[in-house]
Amino acid sequence: MGLLAVCAAGADDAKEGFEVHDMKRPQPVAVKPGTFSTQEKPGTAPSDAVVLFDGKDLSQWKSEKTGGDAEWKVGEGWFEVAPGKGIIKSKQEFADCQLHAEWREPEDVQGASQGRGNSGIFLMGMYELQVLDSAGTETYPDGMAGSIYGQYPPLVNATLPAGQWNVYDVVFRAPKVDESGKVTAPARITVIFNGVLVQDNVKLIGPSMHKALTTYPDKHPAKGPISLQDHHNPVRFRNMWVRELTGDRPKPPVKPAGEGH
């Protein structure tokens, strides 16, 4: 095929698509939004979410150590790290997703730096969004609340005082991998922390590690669990849900609006 033919074919392909304001576009699926949380009461999840904690039990979680039931403490509308029981992880695995999670440090939190109510939320069981009492305290910036541990400090410190519920809203894009499991494009993450943007679509350089400069493994899974860290501190969680982001993204129009618009 000659160059002119290729260009003509490309031009024809460019014409295939929707007009501006095109009523032929598929209507988006209707989703009932959840309700917002208050300090006193957790909100509800959107209608298409996978609810990881419904305020009653840990049936959606298992122990990473034993593979059996998650043995963390469950209270009235919350659950809490049981020091020494180890990491828990969701039974369901995810790739691209939207995550909502709320966490609280005890009012009498003790310790300094990384000892102040330390836990973490791991996307795919590999990429840690730090949980820590960082209100009026100091630690290394890539290990404070709102940080991607060992990689990116938050843009600002939006942590509420100990004893209050903090809220993470996360958009996570899993790494792209080829048939062999080799990473061809890095993971990305955006984090809204108590309504404030603290991670802005940053590229992750690899799974979270302590004191080491990370890189991606030779083989990377397509999906992974949401994991919560046992760092021997009694951190509480509530109102956790995930929306899988599996649909095709809408494309922009390729033609101006037709008659009638």
Side-chain angles (χ1 to χ4, degrees):
M1 183 182 292
L3 178 60
L4 292 178
V6 171
C7 291
D12 289 339
D13 291 341
K15 293 177 182 178
E16 294 180 3
F18 296 109
E19 298 177 353
V20 176
H21 312 316
D22 200 331
M23 286 299 294
K24 297 186 183 69
R25 278 186 183 269
Q27 293 292 319
V29 174
V31 172
K32 182 180 179 181
T35 59
F36 290 102
S37 300
T38 65
Q39 286 296 321
E40 296 75 26
K41 184 179 179 181
T44 59
S47 59
D48 64 344
V50 176
V51 178
L52 296 179
F53 180 66
D54 62 2
K56 299 177 182 178
D57 59 51
L58 293 175
S59 60
Q60 299 300 313
W61 300 83
K62 61 183 178 181
S63 167
E64 183 175 86
K65 183 187 298 186
T66 68
D69 293 342
E71 298 183 69
W72 288 15
K73 180 180 179 180
V74 177
E76 189 172 343
W78 49 263
F79 65 102
E80 181 179 288
V81 177
K85 293 297 184 181
I87 292 169
I88 65 172
K89 60 183 182 179
S90 62
K91 293 178 179 178
Q92 187 166 337
E93 296 188 341
F94 307 93
D96 292 356
C97 66
Q98 174 188 349
L99 170 69
H100 178 91
E102 301 176 20
W103 54 275
R104 192 188 82 168
E105 303 291 354
E107 293 183 13
D108 60 348
V109 61
Q110 302 295 317
S113 186
Q114 293 290 294
R116 292 189 65 80
N118 194 328
S119 184
I121 301 170
F122 287 75
L123 284 301
M124 298 188 75
M126 303 172 75
Y127 305 97
E128 182 182 11
L129 174 57
Q130 177 72 307
V131 169
L132 192 74
D133 174 33
S134 297
T137 67
E138 289 191 356
T139 188
Y140 41 87
D142 60 359
M144 66 186 292
S147 71
I148 307 305
Y149 189 80
Q151 298 187 42
Y152 293 99
L155 294 171
V156 296
N157 183 355
T159 318
L160 294 176
Q164 297 187 40
W165 286 99
N166 291 278
V167 180
Y168 280 150
D169 284 295
V170 180
V171 176
F172 176 76
R173 296 292 180 179
K176 304 299 182 186
V177 297
D178 63 18
E179 293 181 356
S180 70
K182 181 180 179 181
V183 172
T184 59
R188 291 176 176 268
I189 193 167
T190 296
V191 180
I192 307 292
F193 185 13
N194 293 325
V196 179
L197 180 67
V198 295
Q199 300 290 345
D200 188 6
N201 194 32
V202 294
K203 295 180 181 179
L204 305 187
I205 61 175
S208 296
M209 299 182 70
H210 180 55
K211 293 186 177 181
L213 183 63
T214 184
T215 58
Y216 284 100
D218 292 337
K219 289 190 176 182
H220 194 288
K223 289 187 174 184
I226 306 297
S227 298
L228 302 178
Q229 184 183 41
D230 171 10
H231 205 278
H232 303 282
N233 298 150
V235 180
R236 290 184 179 180
F237 296 89
R238 70 175 189 183
N239 193 24
M240 295 190 67
W241 49 262
V242 181
R243 295 181 64 246
E244 295 186 274
L245 304 177
T246 57
D248 293 333
R249 300 183 191 184
K251 297 180 180 179
V254 298
K255 294 175 283 189
E259 293 184 8
H261 289 285

Coordinates of all heavy atoms in Angstrom, one line a residue, residues 143-224:
G143 N 7.6 8.6 54.7 CA 7.0 7.6 55.5 C 5.9 8.2 56.4 O 5.4 7.5 57.3
M144 N 5.4 9.4 56.1 CA 4.4 10.0 56.9 C 3.0 9.7 56.3 O 2.9 9.1 55.2 CB 4.5 11.5 57.0 CG 4.4 12.2 55.6 SD 4.8 14.0 55.7 CE 3.4 14.6 56.7
A145 N 1.9 10.0 57.0 CA 0.6 9.8 56.5 C 0.4 10.5 55.1 O 0.9 11.6 55.0 CB -0.4 10.3 57.5
G146 N -0.2 9.8 54.2 CA -0.4 10.4 52.9 C 0.8 10.1 51.9 O 0.7 10.4 50.7
S147 N 1.8 9.5 52.4 CA 3.0 9.2 51.5 C 2.8 7.8 50.9 O 2.1 7.0 51.4 CB 4.3 9.2 52.3 OG 4.3 8.0 53.2
I148 N 3.5 7.7 49.7 CA 3.7 6.3 49.2 C 5.0 5.9 49.7 O 6.1 6.4 49.4 CB 3.7 6.4 47.6 CG1 2.4 7.1 47.1 CG2 3.8 5.0 47.1 CD1 1.1 6.5 47.6
Y149 N 4.9 4.9 50.6 CA 6.1 4.6 51.5 C 7.4 4.4 50.7 O 7.4 3.6 49.8 CB 5.8 3.4 52.4 CG 6.8 3.2 53.4 CD1 6.8 3.9 54.6 CD2 7.8 2.3 53.3 CE1 7.7 3.7 55.6 CE2 8.8 2.1 54.2 CZ 8.8 2.8 55.4 OH 9.7 2.7 56.3
G150 N 8.4 5.1 51.1 CA 9.7 5.0 50.5 C 9.8 5.6 49.2 O 10.9 5.5 48.5
Q151 N 8.8 6.3 48.7 CA 8.8 6.9 47.3 C 8.4 8.4 47.3 O 9.3 9.2 47.0 CB 8.0 6.1 46.4 CG 8.4 4.6 46.2 CD 7.7 3.8 45.2 OE1 7.4 4.4 44.1 NE2 7.3 2.6 45.5
Y152 N 7.2 8.7 47.6 CA 6.7 10.0 47.4 C 6.1 10.6 48.7 O 5.1 10.0 49.2 CB 5.6 10.1 46.4 CG 6.1 9.8 45.0 CD1 5.9 8.5 44.4 CD2 6.6 10.8 44.2 CE1 6.3 8.3 43.1 CE2 7.1 10.5 42.9 CZ 6.9 9.3 42.4 OH 7.3 9.0 41.1
P153 N 6.7 11.6 49.3 CA 6.0 12.3 50.4 C 4.7 12.9 49.9 O 4.5 13.1 48.7 CB 7.0 13.5 50.8 CG 8.3 13.0 50.2 CD 8.0 12.3 49.0
P154 N 3.7 13.2 50.7 CA 2.5 13.9 50.3 C 2.8 15.3 49.9 O 3.8 15.9 50.4 CB 1.6 13.8 51.5 CG 2.5 13.7 52.7 CD 3.7 12.9 52.2
L155 N 2.0 15.9 49.0 CA 2.2 17.3 48.7 C 2.0 18.2 49.9 O 2.7 19.2 50.0 CB 1.1 17.6 47.6 CG 1.3 16.9 46.2 CD1 0.2 17.2 45.3 CD2 2.6 17.4 45.6
V156 N 1.1 17.9 50.8 CA 0.8 18.6 52.0 C 0.5 17.6 53.1 O 0.1 16.5 52.8 CB -0.3 19.6 51.9 CG1 0.1 20.7 50.9 CG2 -1.6 19.0 51.5
N157 N 0.6 18.0 54.3 CA 0.2 17.2 55.5 C -1.3 17.5 55.8 O -1.5 18.6 56.4 CB 1.1 17.5 56.7 CG 0.8 16.6 57.9 OD1 -0.1 15.8 57.9 ND2 1.6 16.7 58.9
A158 N -2.2 16.6 55.5 CA -3.6 16.8 55.8 C -4.1 16.0 56.9 O -5.4 15.8 57.0 CB -4.4 16.6 54.5
T159 N -3.3 15.5 57.8 CA -3.7 14.6 58.8 C -4.5 15.2 59.9 O -4.1 16.3 60.4 CB -2.4 13.9 59.5 OG1 -1.5 13.6 58.5 CG2 -2.8 12.7 60.3
L160 N -5.6 14.6 60.3 CA -6.4 15.1 61.4 C -5.8 14.6 62.7 O -5.1 13.6 62.8 CB -7.8 14.6 61.3 CG -8.6 15.2 60.1 CD1 -10.0 14.6 60.1 CD2 -8.7 16.7 60.2
P161 N -6.0 15.3 63.9 CA -5.5 14.9 65.2 C -5.9 13.5 65.5 O -7.0 13.0 65.2 CB -6.0 15.9 66.1 CG -6.3 17.1 65.3 CD -6.8 16.6 64.0
A162 N -5.0 12.8 66.3 CA -5.4 11.5 66.8 C -6.7 11.5 67.5 O -7.1 12.4 68.2 CB -4.3 11.0 67.8
G163 N -7.5 10.4 67.3 CA -8.8 10.3 67.8 C -9.9 10.7 66.8 O -11.1 10.4 67.1
Q164 N -9.5 11.3 65.7 CA -10.5 11.6 64.6 C -10.3 10.7 63.4 O -9.2 10.2 63.2 CB -10.3 13.1 64.2 CG -10.6 14.1 65.3 CD -10.6 15.5 64.8 OE1 -11.0 15.8 63.7 NE2 -10.0 16.4 65.6
W165 N -11.3 10.5 62.7 CA -11.3 9.6 61.5 C -10.7 10.4 60.3 O -11.2 11.4 59.9 CB -12.7 9.1 61.2 CG -13.2 8.0 62.1 CD1 -14.0 8.2 63.2 CD2 -12.8 6.7 62.1 NE1 -14.2 7.0 63.9 CE2 -13.4 6.1 63.2 CE3 -12.0 5.9 61.3 CZ2 -13.3 4.7 63.5 CZ3 -11.8 4.5 61.6 CH2 -12.5 3.9 62.7
N166 N -9.7 9.8 59.7 CA -9.1 10.2 58.5 C -9.6 9.5 57.3 O -10.0 8.3 57.5 CB -7.5 10.0 58.5 CG -6.8 11.0 59.5 OD1 -6.6 12.1 59.2 ND2 -6.6 10.4 60.7
V167 N -9.7 10.1 56.2 CA -10.3 9.5 55.0 C -9.3 9.5 53.8 O -8.8 10.6 53.4 CB -11.6 10.2 54.6 CG1 -12.2 9.6 53.3 CG2 -12.6 10.2 55.7
Y168 N -9.1 8.3 53.2 CA -8.4 8.2 52.0 C -9.3 7.9 50.8 O -10.2 7.0 50.9 CB -7.4 7.1 52.0 CG -6.1 7.4 52.7 CD1 -5.4 6.4 53.4 CD2 -5.5 8.6 52.7 CE1 -4.2 6.6 54.1 CE2 -4.3 8.9 53.4 CZ -3.6 7.9 54.0 OH -2.4 8.1 54.7
D169 N -9.2 8.6 49.7 CA -9.9 8.2 48.5 C -8.8 8.1 47.4 O -8.0 9.1 47.2 CB -10.9 9.3 48.1 CG -12.2 9.2 48.9 OD1 -12.9 8.1 48.8 OD2 -12.5 10.1 49.7
V170 N -8.7 6.9 46.8 CA -7.6 6.6 46.0 C -8.0 6.1 44.6 O -9.0 5.4 44.5 CB -6.8 5.4 46.7 CG1 -5.6 5.0 45.8 CG2 -6.4 5.8 48.1
V171 N -7.3 6.6 43.6 CA -7.4 6.0 42.3 C -6.1 5.3 41.9 O -5.0 6.0 41.9 CB -7.8 7.0 41.2 CG1 -7.8 6.4 39.8 CG2 -9.1 7.7 41.5
F172 N -6.1 4.0 41.7 CA -4.9 3.2 41.5 C -5.0 2.6 40.1 O -6.0 2.0 39.8 CB -4.8 2.2 42.6 CG -3.6 1.2 42.3 CD1 -2.3 1.7 42.6 CD2 -3.8 0.0 41.8 CE1 -1.2 0.8 42.4 CE2 -2.7 -0.9 41.6 CZ -1.4 -0.5 41.9
R173 N -3.9 2.8 39.4 CA -3.7 2.1 38.1 C -2.6 1.2 38.2 O -1.4 1.5 38.4 CB -3.5 3.2 37.0 CG -4.6 4.2 36.7 CD -5.8 3.5 36.1 NE -6.9 4.4 35.9 CZ -8.1 4.0 35.4 NH1 -8.3 2.7 35.0 NH2 -9.1 4.9 35.2
A174 N -2.9 -0.1 38.0 CA -1.9 -1.2 38.1 C -0.9 -1.1 37.0 O -1.1 -0.5 35.9 CB -2.6 -2.5 38.0
P175 N 0.3 -1.6 37.2 CA 1.3 -1.6 36.2 C 0.8 -2.4 35.0 O 0.0 -3.4 35.1 CB 2.5 -2.4 36.8 CG 2.3 -2.3 38.2 CD 0.8 -2.3 38.4
K176 N 1.2 -2.0 33.8 CA 0.9 -2.8 32.6 C 2.0 -3.8 32.4 O 3.2 -3.6 32.6 CB 0.9 -1.9 31.3 CG 0.0 -0.7 31.4 CD -1.5 -1.1 31.6 CE -2.4 0.1 31.7 NZ -3.8 -0.3 32.0
V177 N 1.6 -5.0 32.1 CA 2.5 -6.1 32.0 C 2.3 -6.9 30.7 O 1.2 -6.9 30.1 CB 2.4 -7.1 33.2 CG1 2.7 -6.5 34.5 CG2 1.0 -7.7 33.3
D178 N 3.3 -7.5 30.1 CA 3.2 -8.3 28.9 C 2.9 -9.7 29.3 O 2.6 -10.0 30.5 CB 4.5 -8.1 28.1 CG 5.7 -8.7 28.7 OD1 5.6 -9.5 29.7 OD2 6.8 -8.4 28.3
E179 N 2.9 -10.6 28.3 CA 2.5 -12.0 28.5 C 3.4 -12.7 29.5 O 3.0 -13.6 30.1 CB 2.4 -12.7 27.2 CG 1.3 -12.2 26.2 CD 1.3 -13.0 24.9 OE1 2.1 -13.8 24.7 OE2 0.4 -12.7 24.1
S180 N 4.6 -12.3 29.6 CA 5.6 -12.9 30.5 C 5.5 -12.4 31.9 O 6.1 -12.9 32.8 CB 7.0 -12.8 29.9 OG 7.4 -11.4 30.1
G181 N 4.7 -11.3 32.1 CA 4.6 -10.7 33.4 C 5.6 -9.5 33.6 O 5.6 -8.9 34.7
K182 N 6.3 -9.2 32.5 CA 7.3 -8.1 32.6 C 6.5 -6.7 32.6 O 5.6 -6.6 31.8 CB 8.3 -8.1 31.5 CG 9.3 -7.0 31.5 CD 10.3 -7.1 30.4 CE 11.3 -6.0 30.4 NZ 12.2 -6.0 29.2
V183 N 6.9 -5.8 33.5 CA 6.2 -4.5 33.5 C 6.6 -3.7 32.3 O 7.8 -3.5 32.1 CB 6.6 -3.8 34.9 CG1 6.0 -2.4 34.8 CG2 6.0 -4.6 36.1
T184 N 5.6 -3.2 31.6 CA 5.9 -2.3 30.4 C 5.5 -0.9 30.7 O 5.9 0.0 29.9 CB 5.1 -2.9 29.2 OG1 3.7 -2.9 29.5 CG2 5.6 -4.3 28.9
A185 N 4.7 -0.6 31.7 CA 4.4 0.7 32.1 C 4.1 0.7 33.6 O 3.5 -0.2 34.2 CB 3.1 1.2 31.4
P186 N 4.6 1.7 34.4 CA 4.6 1.7 35.8 C 3.2 1.9 36.4 O 2.3 2.4 35.7 CB 5.5 2.8 36.2 CG 5.3 3.8 35.1 CD 5.2 3.0 33.9
A187 N 3.0 1.5 37.6 CA 1.8 1.8 38.4 C 1.7 3.3 38.6 O 2.7 4.0 38.7 CB 1.7 1.0 39.7
R188 N 0.4 3.7 38.7 CA 0.2 5.2 39.0 C -0.8 5.3 40.2 O -1.7 4.4 40.3 CB -0.4 5.9 37.8 CG 0.6 6.1 36.7 CD 0.0 6.7 35.5 NE 0.9 7.0 34.4 CZ 1.5 8.2 34.2 NH1 1.3 9.2 35.1 NH2 2.4 8.4 33.2
I189 N -0.8 6.3 40.9 CA -1.7 6.5 42.0 C -2.0 8.0 42.3 O -1.1 8.8 42.2 CB -1.2 5.8 43.3 CG1 -2.2 5.7 44.4 CG2 0.1 6.6 43.9 CD1 -1.9 4.8 45.6
T190 N -3.3 8.2 42.5 CA -3.8 9.5 43.0 C -4.4 9.3 44.3 O -5.2 8.4 44.5 CB -4.8 10.1 41.9 OG1 -4.1 10.3 40.7 CG2 -5.4 11.4 42.4
V191 N -4.1 10.2 45.3 CA -4.7 10.1 46.6 C -5.3 11.4 47.1 O -4.6 12.5 47.0 CB -3.6 9.7 47.6 CG1 -4.2 9.5 49.0 CG2 -3.0 8.3 47.2
I192 N -6.5 11.4 47.5 CA -7.2 12.5 48.1 C -7.3 12.1 49.6 O -7.8 11.1 50.0 CB -8.6 12.7 47.6 CG1 -8.6 12.9 46.1 CG2 -9.3 13.9 48.3 CD1 -8.0 14.1 45.6
F193 N -6.7 13.0 50.5 CA -6.6 12.7 51.9 C -7.4 13.8 52.7 O -7.0 15.0 52.6 CB -5.1 12.8 52.3 CG -4.7 12.4 53.7 CD1 -5.6 11.8 54.5 CD2 -3.4 12.7 54.1 CE1 -5.2 11.5 55.8 CE2 -3.1 12.4 55.4 CZ -4.0 11.8 56.3
N194 N -8.5 13.4 53.3 CA -9.4 14.3 54.0 C -9.8 15.4 53.1 O -9.9 16.6 53.5 CB -8.7 14.8 55.2 CG -8.5 13.8 56.3 OD1 -9.3 12.9 56.4 ND2 -7.4 13.8 57.0
G195 N -10.1 15.1 51.8 CA -10.5 16.1 50.8 C -9.4 16.9 50.1 O -9.7 17.8 49.3
V196 N -8.2 16.6 50.4 CA -7.0 17.3 49.9 C -6.2 16.4 49.0 O -5.8 15.3 49.4 CB -6.2 17.9 51.1 CG1 -5.0 18.7 50.5 CG2 -7.0 18.8 52.0
L197 N -5.8 16.9 47.8 CA -5.0 16.1 46.9 C -3.5 16.1 47.5 O -2.9 17.1 47.7 CB -4.9 16.8 45.5 CG -4.0 16.1 44.5 CD1 -4.6 14.8 44.1 CD2 -3.9 17.0 43.3
V198 N -3.1 14.9 47.7 CA -1.7 14.7 48.3 C -0.8 13.9 47.4 O 0.4 13.9 47.5 CB -1.7 14.1 49.7 CG1 -2.4 15.0 50.7 CG2 -2.4 12.7 49.7
Q199 N -1.4 13.1 46.5 CA -0.6 12.4 45.4 C -1.3 12.6 44.1 O -2.5 12.2 44.0 CB -0.5 10.9 45.8 CG 0.2 10.5 47.1 CD 1.7 10.9 47.1 OE1 2.3 11.0 46.1 NE2 2.3 10.9 48.3
D200 N -0.6 13.1 43.1 CA -1.2 13.6 41.9 C -0.8 12.7 40.7 O 0.2 13.0 40.0 CB -0.9 15.0 41.6 CG -1.6 15.6 40.5 OD1 -2.5 14.9 39.9 OD2 -1.4 16.8 40.1
N201 N -1.4 11.5 40.6 CA -1.1 10.6 39.5 C 0.4 10.3 39.3 O 0.9 10.4 38.2 CB -1.7 11.2 38.2 CG -1.7 10.2 37.0 OD1 -1.9 9.0 37.2 ND2 -1.5 10.7 35.8
V202 N 1.0 10.0 40.4 CA 2.5 9.8 40.4 C 2.8 8.4 39.9 O 2.0 7.4 40.1 CB 3.1 10.0 41.8 CG1 3.0 11.4 42.3 CG2 2.4 9.0 42.9
K203 N 3.9 8.3 39.2 CA 4.4 7.0 38.7 C 5.2 6.3 39.9 O 6.2 6.8 40.4 CB 5.3 7.2 37.5 CG 4.6 7.8 36.3 CD 5.7 7.9 35.2 CE 5.1 8.5 34.0 NZ 6.1 8.7 32.9
L204 N 4.8 5.1 40.2 CA 5.5 4.3 41.2 C 6.7 3.6 40.6 O 6.7 3.1 39.5 CB 4.6 3.3 41.9 CG 3.3 3.9 42.5 CD1 2.5 2.9 43.2 CD2 3.6 5.1 43.4
I205 N 7.8 3.6 41.4 CA 9.0 3.1 40.8 C 9.2 1.6 41.1 O 10.2 1.0 40.7 CB 10.3 3.9 41.3 CG1 10.4 3.8 42.9 CG2 10.2 5.3 40.9 CD1 11.7 4.5 43.4
G206 N 8.3 1.0 41.9 CA 8.3 -0.4 42.2 C 7.5 -0.6 43.5 O 6.9 0.3 44.1
P207 N 7.4 -1.9 43.9 CA 6.7 -2.2 45.2 C 7.4 -1.5 46.4 O 8.6 -1.2 46.3 CB 6.8 -3.7 45.3 CG 7.0 -4.2 43.9 CD 7.8 -3.1 43.2
S208 N 6.6 -1.2 47.4 CA 7.2 -0.6 48.6 C 8.2 -1.4 49.3 O 8.0 -2.6 49.5 CB 6.0 -0.2 49.5 OG 5.1 0.7 48.9
M209 N 9.3 -0.8 49.7 CA 10.4 -1.4 50.4 C 10.8 -0.5 51.5 O 10.6 0.7 51.5 CB 11.5 -1.8 49.5 CG 11.1 -2.8 48.4 SD 12.5 -3.3 47.3 CE 13.4 -4.3 48.4
H210 N 11.5 -1.1 52.5 CA 12.1 -0.4 53.6 C 13.6 -0.2 53.5 O 14.3 -1.2 53.3 CB 11.7 -1.1 54.9 CG 12.2 -0.4 56.2 ND1 11.9 0.9 56.5 CD2 13.1 -0.8 57.2 CE1 12.5 1.2 57.6 NE2 13.2 0.2 58.1
K211 N 14.0 1.0 53.4 CA 15.5 1.4 53.4 C 16.1 1.0 52.1 O 17.4 1.0 52.0 CB 16.2 0.8 54.6 CG 15.9 1.4 55.9 CD 16.8 0.8 57.0 CE 16.5 1.5 58.3 NZ 17.3 1.0 59.4
A212 N 15.4 0.5 51.1 CA 16.0 0.1 49.8 C 15.3 0.8 48.7 O 14.1 1.2 48.7 CB 15.8 -1.4 49.6
L213 N 16.1 1.1 47.6 CA 15.5 1.8 46.4 C 14.9 0.7 45.6 O 15.6 -0.2 45.1 CB 16.6 2.5 45.6 CG 16.2 3.2 44.4 CD1 15.2 4.4 44.8 CD2 17.4 3.8 43.6
T214 N 13.6 0.7 45.4 CA 12.9 -0.4 44.8 C 13.0 -0.4 43.3 O 13.2 0.7 42.7 CB 11.4 -0.3 45.2 OG1 10.7 -1.5 44.7 CG2 10.7 0.9 44.7
T215 N 12.7 -1.5 42.7 CA 12.5 -1.7 41.3 C 11.4 -2.7 41.1 O 11.1 -3.4 42.0 CB 13.8 -2.2 40.6 OG1 14.2 -3.4 41.2 CG2 14.9 -1.2 40.7
Y216 N 10.9 -2.8 39.9 CA 9.9 -3.8 39.6 C 10.5 -5.2 39.5 O 11.6 -5.3 39.0 CB 9.1 -3.4 38.3 CG 8.1 -2.3 38.5 CD1 8.5 -1.0 38.1 CD2 6.9 -2.5 39.1 CE1 7.6 0.1 38.3 CE2 6.0 -1.4 39.3 CZ 6.4 -0.1 38.9 OH 5.5 0.9 39.1
P217 N 9.7 -6.2 39.9 CA 10.2 -7.6 39.8 C 10.2 -8.0 38.3 O 9.5 -7.4 37.5 CB 9.2 -8.4 40.6 CG 8.0 -7.6 40.6 CD 8.4 -6.1 40.6
D218 N 10.9 -9.1 38.0 CA 10.9 -9.6 36.6 C 9.5 -10.1 36.2 O 9.2 -10.0 35.0 CB 11.9 -10.7 36.5 CG 13.3 -10.3 36.7 OD1 13.6 -9.1 36.4 OD2 14.2 -11.1 37.1
K219 N 8.8 -10.6 37.2 CA 7.4 -11.0 36.9 C 6.5 -10.4 37.9 O 6.7 -10.4 39.1 CB 7.3 -12.6 37.0 CG 8.0 -13.3 35.8 CD 7.6 -14.8 35.9 CE 8.2 -15.5 34.7 NZ 7.8 -16.9 34.6
H220 N 5.4 -9.8 37.3 CA 4.5 -9.0 38.2 C 3.1 -9.6 38.0 O 2.7 -9.8 36.8 CB 4.5 -7.5 37.8 CG 3.9 -6.6 38.7 ND1 2.5 -6.5 38.9 CD2 4.4 -5.7 39.6 CE1 2.2 -5.6 39.8 NE2 3.3 -5.1 40.3
P221 N 2.3 -9.8 39.0 CA 1.0 -10.3 38.9 C 0.0 -9.3 38.2 O 0.3 -8.1 38.3 CB 0.5 -10.6 40.3 CG 1.3 -9.7 41.2 CD 2.7 -9.6 40.5
A222 N -1.0 -9.8 37.6 CA -2.0 -8.9 37.0 C -2.9 -8.3 38.0 O -3.5 -7.2 37.8 CB -2.8 -9.7 35.9
K223 N -3.2 -9.0 39.1 CA -4.0 -8.5 40.2 C -3.4 -8.8 41.5 O -2.5 -9.7 41.6 CB -5.4 -9.2 40.1 CG -6.3 -8.7 39.0 CD -7.7 -9.3 39.1 CE -8.6 -8.7 38.0 NZ -10.0 -9.2 38.2
G224 N -3.9 -8.2 42.6 CA -3.5 -8.5 43.9 C -4.5 -8.0 44.9 O -5.4 -7.2 44.6

